[in-house]
Amino acid sequence: MTLKELPTKLDIDVQGALERFAGHELIYLKYLRRLCTDENVQAFSNAQIMSDEQKLLNLAHTLKGITANLGLYSLSSAYSYIVDALRDKKPEIIPMLYQHALDLQRKTLEILRSL
Amino acid sequence: MPLNTPQTLLIVDDNEMNREILRLNFLDRFTIVESSNGLEALNYVKEHNDEICAVLLDKVMPVMDAIEFLHEVRNLNLLKSVPIFIVTAQADAISNFVNDDLGITDVIEKPFNAAFLKKRVSSQVELFLTRRSLEYTNLKQRVIIEKKTRDFAELNVKVITTLALAIEFRSGEVGEHVQNIRSLTRAILRKMREIGYEGCADFSDEKIELISYASILHDVGKIAISDLILNKPGKLTPEEYEVIKTHSKKGAEIISKINIDESNPIMRYAYDICLHHHERYDGKGYPDGLKGDEISIEAQVVGLADVYDALTQERCYKRAFSKEEAINMMVTGQCGSFNPKLLAVFVSIIGKLDFEKNTEEDQKALKTLAQSLI
C-alpha cells in the first residue's frame, strides 16, 4: 500500500501530517511504520495497564500526541477520551473507552503494517 | 547586532518523532539542539545559556518534567527573556504554568499547524533578538556616555585648578601656595580621622579629597581685588586692608555664581571655605566674626593651613619664616587664633609632611574628585 492510498482505508490526514514533517515523505513513512512497534503502543495493548490509572493516563496522553502528529485523528481522539475521563474522575467509563481505543489501535496498526 | 547572537533552538521532548518534526521545521533557520528530558536540557542550558534563542518544551517527560525544568531555570536566573514554548497535546491543562509565573511565552497544542508554529516561534525570536540588540546598543552607549562624563569631570577639575593657579600667579606667587594648602588640608583631615577627632572620625577618603580640592579655591575672590593693592610691596593702609578683606565674600559670590548643581559637595565646601577661611577661633576674624565651633571644621583647617603656608613662604611684603618660627607664632597667638585641639593635631604632623607635587597620590585624587563631580 502507498501513502496516497492510506486515506481510503483509514481516517488519516496525510496532507496535514506531511506539512508537519516539512514535506519529508520518507521520514513521515518511517514514523508511521514505527508506530506498529512503538513501545507505548505495546504497553497500551496490555490490559494490565487498566489497573494503574497514572500509567494509563501518561500512556494515553503520549499516544494522543504521537498519533495526532501522524494525522491519525480518530485514533488520537480515542486516546484523548481516556485522558479526559481520567482527569474528570470518571473511572466507570474507562473500560469502555479503553476497549474502543484498543480496537481502533489494532485496526490502524493492521493497515499500517501493509505500508 | 551583538557579536554573539544566539542561534540555538533547544527542543526538549522525550519522544523522538516529536523532536524530529520540530527539528525539520526549524532546520533552515536555527542551530538545533535536542534533549530527551528536562534534566538533560538543564545541563545543556547551564553550559550554553547565551547561545539559546528559544526553547520548545514538552510538558510531560520522564526524569524531569517541564515544570521542574522551568523552576530550576528561573532559580538559576537562566534563559532570561528567551522565548519558551510549551508544546503539548493537552493545552487546556497549562494553568499551573501560568499561575506559577514561570515565564512561558506561548503554548502550542499538538497536532500543530506547521506554518503557524514557524510564524509564532520566529516572531518571538525576532522580538527577543531585537530587544537584546537594543539592550546591547544601550549598554554600549552608556559606556561611551560614562567615559565622556568622566573625561568632562576630569577636565572640570583641571579647569578649576588652573583658575586657582592663575589667581595665585596674579598675586606674584609661583603656584605652590594652593598646592600646599591642598596637601596640608588633606594631611590634617586624615590625621583628625585617624585619632577620631570630634566630627571627623567617619570622614571618607572621598570627603577628605573633596574638601582638600575645594581648599584650592579659598582665595578665588582675590580676582576681584585691584592689582595695586594685591601686589603692593610693604604694609597696607587700613583702607587697603579693608579692600583685601572683601576677597572672602567676593570668592563666595563667585562660587555661588558658578552654575554647577547646588548639590555638588565641592561647591558647597568651596563656598564655605572661601567665605570663612579668615574667621578666627576667638571670634575676631572676618567677614562674619564667627567664633569657636560656629566655624565649620573645613574652614578652620584651611584657615590654619593658609596662615602656616603664608608664614613659611616669602611674600612681597615679608621674608619666609622657618617651620619652627611659624609654629611658634601660631601657638603663642602672635599670628591667628585657632582651636587648640586642631593646632595640636597640626603640630603633631607638620614635621612629617612632604610637599612634592604631581605625585601618584595627586593623580589618584584627581580621579576620585572627577568621580564625585559626575
Side-chain angles (χ1 to χ4, degrees):
Chain A
M1 188 182 293
T2 65
L3 202 54
K4 278 184 185 168
E5 291 168 333
L6 211 50
T8 61
K9 306 283 182 185
L10 269 180
D11 178 22
I12 184 167
D13 176 14
V14 171
Q15 190 55 39
L18 263 177
E19 279 174 18
R20 247 185 315 281
F21 280 86
H24 290 78
E25 194 173 311
L26 287 175
I27 297 174
Y28 177 43
L29 268 171
K30 178 179 88 176
Y31 285 107
L32 276 176
R33 289 176 182 136
R34 192 180 281 186
L35 190 65
C36 302
T37 54
D38 185 281
E39 59 179 15
N40 296 300
V41 171
Q42 305 303 321
F44 187 80
S45 305
N46 187 342
Q48 293 291 321
I49 195 73
M50 290 274 283
S51 60
D52 188 335
E53 283 195 1
Q54 189 55 48
K55 269 191 183 170
L56 180 62
L57 176 68
N58 289 344
L59 213 47
H61 174 81
T62 302
L63 288 167
K64 174 189 168 189
I66 293 172
T67 50
N69 271 338
L70 288 169
L72 296 161
Y73 294 145
S74 293
L75 185 56
S76 178
S77 296
Y79 297 129
S80 183
Y81 295 145
I82 298 172
V83 171
D84 293 343
L86 287 168
R87 288 203 169 125
D88 296 342
K89 308 282 180 204
K90 292 177 180 169
E92 68 281 5
I93 61 169
I94 297 295
M96 181 192 72
L97 294 175
Y98 176 75
Q99 195 54 52
H100 169 67
L102 201 59
D103 291 345
L104 197 55
Q105 179 180 285
R106 195 178 298 125
K107 188 184 159 200
T108 303
L109 295 184
E110 271 174 27
I111 295 165
L112 290 180
R113 280 193 193 97
S114 63
L115 268 174
Chain B
M1 293 284 274
L3 285 176
N4 299 316
T5 303
Q7 291 287 354
T8 299
L9 176 68
L10 178 60
I11 297 171
V12 194
D13 198 312
D14 59 323
N15 186 274
E16 183 193 338
M17 183 191 73
N18 290 339
R19 292 199 304 271
E20 182 141 21
I21 290 175
L22 294 169
R23 187 178 67 81
L24 291 172
N25 279 284
F26 293 102
L27 201 57
D28 58 340
R29 171 82 206 276
F30 304 110
T31 302
I32 307 291
V33 171
E34 298 178 26
S35 296
S36 61
N37 62 63
L39 184 61
E40 206 179 295
L42 183 65
N43 288 334
Y44 180 82
V45 172
K46 283 179 187 171
E47 296 292 320
H48 303 274
N49 186 55
D50 293 338
E51 297 163 24
I52 299 167
C53 65
V55 180
L56 300 180
L57 188 62
D58 183 25
K59 183 170 169 282
V60 181
M61 290 178 289
V63 186
M64 182 185 281
D65 67 8
I67 298 178
E68 202 180 341
F69 168 79
L70 288 167
H71 276 296
E72 290 289 335
V73 160
R74 295 306 168 214
N75 286 342
L76 296 169
N77 204 23
L78 297 168
L79 298 176
K80 215 173 166 189
S81 307
V82 173
I84 298 176
F85 299 84
I86 297 291
V87 186
T88 176
Q90 198 76 15
D92 57 349
I94 51 109
S95 59
N96 48 347
F97 286 87
V98 179
N99 292 342
D100 285 353
D101 194 23
L102 292 170
I104 300 301
T105 305
D106 206 347
V107 177
I108 293 166
E109 188 168 15
K110 296 174 194 168
F112 50 78
N113 176 298
F116 283 143
L117 170 75
K118 284 203 268 192
K119 204 161 181 73
R120 282 159 80 180
V121 173
S122 296
S123 60
Q124 287 295 336
V125 170
E126 281 303 318
L127 196 64
F128 163 66
L129 293 179
T130 305
R131 195 186 302 132
R132 194 172 179 276
S133 171
L134 278 173
E135 281 170 6
Y136 180 75
T137 307
N138 285 345
L139 181 70
K140 272 204 312 192
Q141 284 173 344
R142 201 161 65 231
V143 169
I144 291 168
I145 289 168
E146 277 171 4
K147 186 183 179 309
K148 284 190 185 302
T149 307
R150 247 187 343 265
D151 290 347
F152 179 74
E154 285 189 19
L155 184 66
N156 206 356
V157 171
K158 286 174 182 167
V159 166
I160 294 176
T161 306
T162 305
L163 171 67
L165 286 171
I167 292 159
E168 196 176 325
F169 280 122
R170 185 170 162 261
S171 308
E173 292 161 28
V174 292
E176 282 183 358
H177 180 56
V178 290
Q179 298 299 348
N180 288 350
I181 296 294
R182 183 171 164 188
S183 299
L184 278 168
T185 300
R186 182 195 288 146
I188 296 167
L189 288 172
R190 282 182 181 171
K191 187 66 182 179
M192 290 164 86
R193 176 176 66 183
E194 184 190 320
I195 64 169
Y197 192 99
E198 192 184 343
C200 304
D202 61 348
F203 275 19
S204 63
D205 284 345
E206 187 190 355
K207 182 167 180 167
I208 289 175
E209 284 309 327
L210 288 170
I211 296 171
S212 307
Y213 175 58
S215 75
I216 70 172
L217 290 169
H218 69 287
D219 273 343
V220 74
K222 282 186 177 172
I223 204 163
I225 307 296
S226 155
D227 281 352
L228 293 173
I229 297 175
L230 197 63
N231 294 324
K232 181 182 175 183
K235 203 170 166 55
L236 296 173
T237 67
E239 294 75 22
E240 287 168 338
Y241 185 57
E242 285 306 312
V243 173
I244 281 281
K245 280 163 70 178
T246 63
H247 84 274
S248 54
K249 270 194 172 177
K250 298 271 186 197
E253 279 172 30
I254 290 168
I255 296 293
S256 66
K257 282 178 183 167
I258 296 174
N259 196 17
I260 295 184
D261 181 2
E262 280 181 11
S263 63
N264 187 307
I266 282 192
M267 288 304 143
R268 279 192 282 113
Y269 290 132
Y271 179 88
D272 181 47
I273 289 167
C274 274
L275 192 59
H276 293 132
H277 71 284
H278 281 295
E279 301 288 357
R280 289 168 51 115
Y281 200 67
D282 59 9
K284 292 178 183 169
Y286 64 87
D288 295 326
L290 299 181
K291 191 174 180 181
D293 290 337
E294 290 173 359
I295 312 163
S296 69
I297 199 70
E298 52 268 18
Q300 287 189 52
V301 169
V302 175
L304 185 148
D306 188 30
V307 168
Y308 173 79
D309 196 62
L311 287 171
T312 52
Q313 302 294 316
E314 187 180 338
R315 297 281 164 89
C316 56
Y317 53 86
K318 63 172 263 304
R319 70 172 175 90
F321 294 105
S322 70
K323 190 183 279 187
E324 292 71 24
E325 283 176 308
I327 291 171
N328 186 50
M329 290 167 83
M330 291 165 75
V331 170
T332 58
Q334 294 172 60
C335 201
S337 163
F338 306 100
N339 181 336
K341 287 184 202 165
L342 175 60
L343 198 55
V345 172
F346 177 66
V347 172
S348 75
I349 62 164
I350 193 62
K352 303 163 193 166
L353 292 181
D354 174 12
F355 292 115
E356 266 188 56
K357 285 176 278 298
N358 295 324
T359 60
E360 204 177 307
E361 189 170 35
D362 281 341
Q363 291 303 315
K364 266 198 261 174
L366 176 69
K367 294 207 180 304
T368 306
L369 288 166
Q371 275 296 325
S372 70
L373 284 172
I374 292 171

